[in-house]
Amino acid sequence: SDPPAADGTTGYTTVGALHDLSGLVSGLAVLAGLFALARACRRDPAWERTARLVRILAVLLVVGMITEIIIGELSTVGPDGDGVTGLAQRIDLAIQMTGAILLGLRVYNSPRYVDPHTEAAAA
């Protein structure tokens, strides 16, 4: 979030610190939510397949977050690592958004979901 200065050094502003902290907190919250959702889905036989999907997404997110941290640390070592951290962050966001879409579709297509518009049209 903090662009490098002309001499190649990076300053750490309050905005940058808040940005990084909020990214970490939200990533950990999504991760905790995925593991809790996987556990809840495992208890219901109708949602057992969804529990597997949620666990896969959680593992991918853990790997992505670890990779992001490693790349972030390596990018401070050499001058060529800049920009790769942003790519890792976007991959993590893509995993989160894909998971949200897939879970939303699963809920929408579940037999327990009742579309009020379809019910009203049938009546």
Side-chain angles (χ1 to χ4, degrees):
S1 59
D2 291 324
D7 63 355
T9 61
T10 55
Y12 210 58
T13 64
T14 304
V15 172
L18 287 174
H19 180 265
D20 290 347
L21 180 63
S22 65
L24 177 65
V25 169
S26 66
L28 292 175
V30 168
L31 191 59
L34 284 174
F35 281 117
L37 183 61
R39 185 174 178 190
C41 288
R42 233 185 4 223
R43 293 181 188 153
D44 189 348
W47 288 85
E48 229 170 309
R49 277 186 31 189
T50 305
R52 183 176 179 199
L53 168 69
V54 173
R55 280 193 309 270
I56 289 170
L57 289 169
V59 168
L60 284 174
L61 190 58
V62 167
V63 170
M65 290 176 83
I66 291 170
T67 303
E68 185 180 328
I69 291 168
I70 291 170
I71 288 174
E73 291 302 316
L74 291 177
S75 68
T76 60
V77 174
D80 298 331
D82 295 333
V84 181
T85 304
L87 177 63
Q89 292 169 346
R90 274 131 188 102
I91 291 171
D92 285 346
L93 284 174
I95 292 168
Q96 292 179 25
M97 293 299 107
T98 301
I101 291 168
L102 290 175
L103 291 172
L105 287 172
R106 173 66 173 101
V107 169
Y108 182 76
N109 291 326
S110 78
R112 294 181 184 172
Y113 176 80
V114 178
D115 187 2
H117 302 293
T118 306
E119 193 174 290

